Amino acid sequence: MIDSLDISVVSWSKAQFALTAMYHWIFVPLTLGLAFIIAFMETLYVKTGDEEWKKITKYWMTLFGINFAIGIATGIILEFEFGTNWSNYSWFVGDIFGAPLAIEGIMAFFMETTFIAVMFFGWNKVSKRFHLISTWLVAIGANLSALWILVANAWMQYPAGMHFNPDTVRNEMVNFWEVLFSPVAVNKFLHTITSSFLLASVFVIGISAWYMLKGRHILLAKRSIIIASVFGLISSVFVGFTGDGSAIEVAHKQPMKLAAMEGLYKGSEGVGLIAIGMPTPGKVYNDNKDPYIFKIQIPKMLSILGYHDKDAFVPGITDIIDGGYTYKNKNGEEVVAPSTAQKIEKGKLAIQALADYTTSSAEGNKEMMAYHKNILNENFEYFGYGYLKDPASTIPNVPLVFYSFRVMVGLGLLFIVFFGLILFLVLEKNLEQKRWLLKTSIFMIPLAYLASQAGWIVAEVGRQPWVIQDILPTSAAVSNIGVGAVQVTFFLFFIIFTILLIAELKIMFKQIKLGPKEGGN
Amino acid sequence: MPNNPIKSIIQFYYDGFKSMTIGKTLWTIIIIKLFIMFFILKLFFFPDLLKKNFKNDSERSRHVLEQLTNKK
């Protein structure tokens, strides 16, 4: 059946999922970060009793509310898509994906109905302390809510803590803690939330800078910039550390993604990192073209980033396809990497074993069931390769991943300098005179969103063709539906989400122009 | 505030919604959005195919098995 699927169904379903996920991610990071910034501001209000801090808190809370309201439930669309476009996948992942999403749903519901209500409606109705606790719980709850989604995503990048049940054709969770605390999940969560803190800090600084340029609400702007630049500086440094952790995980668990991030075709020991470069368009893994039109390289840096060893071997795309190099497997043993062609053969064996197991099960032949199950278990780690036509189909879109990675890292480094500079100047009471920097601060806001989206492109495009790493490719995960239906909903979403985005921007701009209702001068 | 805790909570939300300014626009957007999502998109465009087309889990697993193993 899968072979007969029109490939455009896969492409359109992928495009639709990417579109909805990217729109959803416009709203989420600001919610995650701004919630903490508001909590810091309110803490200062409760500690000092200074009414100005209360006004500042309420102002940013209004912008938080706009973003939260427009963004709310945009993620639900992704769940709709699982049931319609990705039904094979939805069934195949079983409770592993369902459990974290259910926890997220329950947490989000309680947080949103209780503590956000106190946060917005509770001024002068509950005690200062209770209000502050509610604000902190909103911040912590929103981030914990994100944890469960990111755990589910991390499992797709590195399936752990499960076993495949051929009787139900589902993966079943055998160790919740392995799923929750898989190194990929921990890194992904920390990297994602800290990058969201960074984005929210840039947002607060950018808007405050605009007030400074206009000569309005100067005290609000200065105080907001101090909070945001400290939070942003700490977060951006932490983003660097967690990014380093992510690089290690990618190097060990998704080497093809790392190779695509670098446009590295032929691996070696002590590989450099391309600081600036341009991959050769149309390059294929087994031709003799130079992989780069030009490059400026930092010697040995990729080996250091990926393995914390300046002389470590980093496999390139061709090495991964041809196999034959040694690497450490899940159990930490040095093994020789099989070629992708061998993995495809093993995958086909696993798929056939699943079919034969079912036939034996229907016949009640327990001996043959055990025999086929054994073959399935032995080859299950390559199950998904059995759906691939040729080794080249394991290569993601190299230029897109390469450039997205550089956008993310380049902007990440720029933000560290930016936060440091802003903090220094605002503490020196010199920021208002630097009008060029205030103007630059406004333009930093879209750059923060660009970096955030680029990070997800690296993570998700870089792991193609897999929906579950090595176990299920997108071509097998997709439902057997007509391409027309997917195209219709793609454009429907495009229109709806664009309207929502325009609505958010209009309301947000209007509110920023109005400024704080009560003082903030 | 009334002493009954349930009445207090209802009053809390009632007063909160009543005193909203920009919040009213936002709630209008939220309600329209949720209506479009659950009563148009979900109902007409996004059926849960396995739930809709099969009666029980056994049929669903058989269908997915066929999808994953039958190659033409």
Side-chain angles (χ1 to χ4, degrees):
Chain A
M1 296 287 175
I2 285 158
D3 279 6
S4 68
L5 274 177
D6 185 346
I7 196 70
S8 60
V9 176
V10 181
S11 302
W12 277 98
S13 296
K14 278 162 70 174
Q16 186 182 70
F17 200 87
L19 175 83
T20 39
M22 288 176 92
Y23 265 103
H24 179 54
W25 195 251
I26 290 171
F27 306 107
V28 176
L30 186 59
T31 298
L32 299 184
L34 197 51
F36 273 112
I37 292 176
I38 291 166
F40 295 138
M41 290 167 169
E42 190 175 344
T43 304
L44 285 167
Y45 161 59
V46 173
K47 284 255 178 205
T48 61
D50 181 347
E51 284 295 311
E52 192 65 30
W53 277 117
K54 183 180 177 184
K55 288 163 193 166
I56 294 170
T57 305
K58 286 181 88 170
Y59 172 66
W60 291 110
M61 211 175 261
T62 306
L63 299 192
F64 171 88
I66 294 167
N67 183 66
F68 184 83
I70 308 278
I72 198 168
T74 47
I76 286 174
I77 300 289
L78 298 169
E79 292 188 36
F80 292 174
E81 288 172 33
F82 285 135
T84 305
N85 299 3
W86 305 99
S87 59
N88 291 347
Y89 162 81
S90 299
W91 183 263
F92 191 76
V93 294
D95 60 345
I96 296 170
F97 213 75
L101 291 187
I103 297 171
E104 191 274 337
I106 293 164
M107 279 192 71
F109 176 78
F110 280 110
M111 185 195 80
E112 283 153 23
T113 53
T114 313
F115 298 113
I116 282 194
V118 175
M119 200 170 133
F120 282 97
F121 302 156
W123 294 106
N124 308 323
K125 296 219 170 137
V126 296
S127 70
K128 271 187 188 179
R129 194 164 290 274
F130 184 70
H131 193 279
L132 178 64
I133 290 169
S134 298
T135 306
W136 274 103
L137 285 175
V138 167
I140 294 165
N143 282 272
L144 282 181
S145 198
L147 167 73
W148 300 108
I149 300 288
L150 294 168
V151 163
N153 179 276
W155 184 84
M156 291 155 77
Q157 315 261 354
Y158 176 59
M162 61 34 158
H163 87 116
F164 179 67
N165 182 346
D167 294 309
T168 58
V169 199
R170 300 190 102 163
N171 284 285
E172 292 169 356
M173 197 185 297
V174 290
N175 189 332
F176 174 76
W177 303 110
E178 261 188 53
V179 176
L180 179 60
F181 292 119
S182 98
V184 176
V186 172
N187 260 294
K188 182 167 277 292
F189 173 65
L190 294 175
H191 193 57
T192 308
I193 62 160
T194 48
S195 68
S196 302
F197 300 164
L198 183 159
L199 180 143
S201 303
V202 172
F203 177 84
V204 169
I205 291 172
I207 290 167
S208 303
W210 185 77
Y211 284 135
M212 278 192 164
L213 282 168
K214 295 279 170 193
R216 293 169 58 194
H217 316 300
I218 299 297
L219 185 56
L220 173 143
K222 277 186 184 170
R223 286 187 173 184
S224 300
I225 286 175
I226 291 172
I227 297 279
S229 56
V230 171
F231 189 48
L233 185 59
I234 295 167
S235 301
S236 57
V237 171
F238 205 77
V239 168
F241 280 113
T242 53
D244 176 63
S246 295
I248 294 268
E249 295 307 326
V250 168
H252 286 87
K253 296 173 176 89
Q254 296 174 302
M256 182 62 90
K257 186 193 279 185
L258 185 73
M261 282 156 67
E262 272 308 291
L264 180 71
Y265 284 84
K266 191 72 198 142
S268 61
E269 291 175 351
V271 181
L273 180 83
I274 310 290
I276 302 169
M278 184 186 272
T280 305
K283 163 84 183 155
V284 288
Y285 81 96
N286 51 1
D287 67 14
N288 291 323
K289 282 185 193 167
D290 191 320
Y292 311 100
I293 290 174
F294 77 93
K295 63 177 179 184
I296 299 171
Q297 209 169 14
I298 307 168
K300 297 188 184 281
M301 188 49 95
L302 189 64
S303 291
I304 294 169
L305 281 178
Y307 297 90
H308 285 183
D309 172 0
K310 67 181 171 56
D311 295 318
F313 176 79
V314 182
I317 291 168
T318 311
D319 302 296
I320 295 164
I321 286 179
D322 291 344
Y325 62 93
T326 55
Y327 75 106
K328 277 190 182 164
N329 68 8
K330 279 182 184 178
N331 306 321
E333 302 155 342
E334 290 263 344
V335 291
V336 177
S339 69
T340 303
Q342 287 171 320
K343 291 177 188 173
I344 289 174
E345 283 312 307
K346 282 171 177 277
K348 287 187 191 304
L349 273 177
I351 294 166
Q352 189 56 49
L354 175 61
D356 294 342
Y357 173 87
T358 314
T359 309
S360 302
S361 173
E363 291 165 354
N365 187 338
K366 289 193 175 166
E367 197 181 325
M368 288 310 288
M369 279 170 71
Y371 173 74
H372 294 305
K373 194 173 183 177
N374 194 34
I375 295 175
L376 176 62
N377 290 341
E378 278 176 5
N379 297 287
F380 188 72
E381 65 177 309
Y382 301 117
F383 188 86
Y385 283 90
Y387 298 103
L388 304 178
K389 296 273 182 298
D390 66 283
S393 56
T394 57
I395 306 170
N397 183 327
V398 174
L400 182 57
V401 179
F402 178 91
Y403 290 121
S404 300
F405 179 63
R406 267 138 203 88
V407 167
M408 175 185 74
V409 174
L411 288 173
L413 294 171
L414 176 68
F415 290 133
I416 295 176
V417 176
F418 171 70
F419 288 126
L421 186 61
I422 290 278
L423 181 61
F424 173 75
L425 290 172
V426 78
L427 291 178
E428 289 283 305
K429 302 185 180 3
N430 204 12
L431 186 59
E432 276 173 274
Q433 282 76 53
K434 309 284 180 197
R435 293 185 73 80
W436 65 270
L437 187 57
L438 294 174
K439 285 177 188 165
T440 307
S441 300
I442 299 167
F443 289 104
M444 283 295 203
I445 298 175
L447 291 183
Y449 281 93
L450 179 66
S452 191
Q453 296 280 351
W456 277 110
I457 291 172
V458 173
E460 297 303 303
V461 178
R463 73 183 171 101
Q464 293 305 311
W466 305 111
V467 63
I468 307 171
Q469 184 72 36
D470 297 344
I471 291 177
L472 197 70
T474 47
S475 59
V478 79
S479 305
N480 200 355
I481 52 174
V483 68
V486 188
Q487 286 170 329
V488 167
T489 48
F490 175 90
F491 288 109
L492 212 57
F493 280 152
F494 184 72
I495 293 164
I496 292 171
F497 278 114
T498 304
I499 291 170
L500 279 178
L501 188 61
I502 292 168
E504 156 148 35
L505 291 175
K506 276 187 88 170
I507 299 169
M508 192 76 94
F509 287 152
K510 190 179 166 192
Q511 203 60 33
I512 292 165
K513 268 189 176 176
L514 282 173
K517 212 172 17 174
E518 307 165 48
N521 297 312
Chain B
M1 279 268 218
N3 288 330
N4 183 327
I6 293 170
K7 274 189 181 171
S8 301
I9 292 168
I10 293 169
Q11 191 68 41
F12 176 82
Y13 278 90
Y14 177 78
D15 291 344
F17 282 114
K18 212 175 146 191
S19 63
M20 282 192 312
T21 49
I22 187 159
K24 279 179 187 150
T25 313
L26 296 177
W27 272 106
T28 310
I29 292 173
I30 290 172
I31 289 163
I32 292 170
K33 184 171 65 177
L34 291 178
F35 177 80
I36 292 171
M37 280 181 183
F38 286 99
F39 293 96
I40 297 174
L41 292 177
K42 179 67 183 158
L43 277 185
F44 298 106
F45 295 98
F46 282 95
D48 187 323
L49 288 181
L50 293 178
K51 267 192 188 159
K52 185 184 150 201
N53 296 338
F54 304 97
K55 283 183 205 147
N56 51 46
D57 279 357
S58 168
E59 285 186 6
R60 287 177 197 121
S61 68
R62 209 173 310 133
H63 167 76
V64 175
L65 181 82
E66 278 173 19
Q67 290 279 306
L68 294 180
T69 57
N70 287 355
K71 299 195 134 208
K72 280 186 180 173

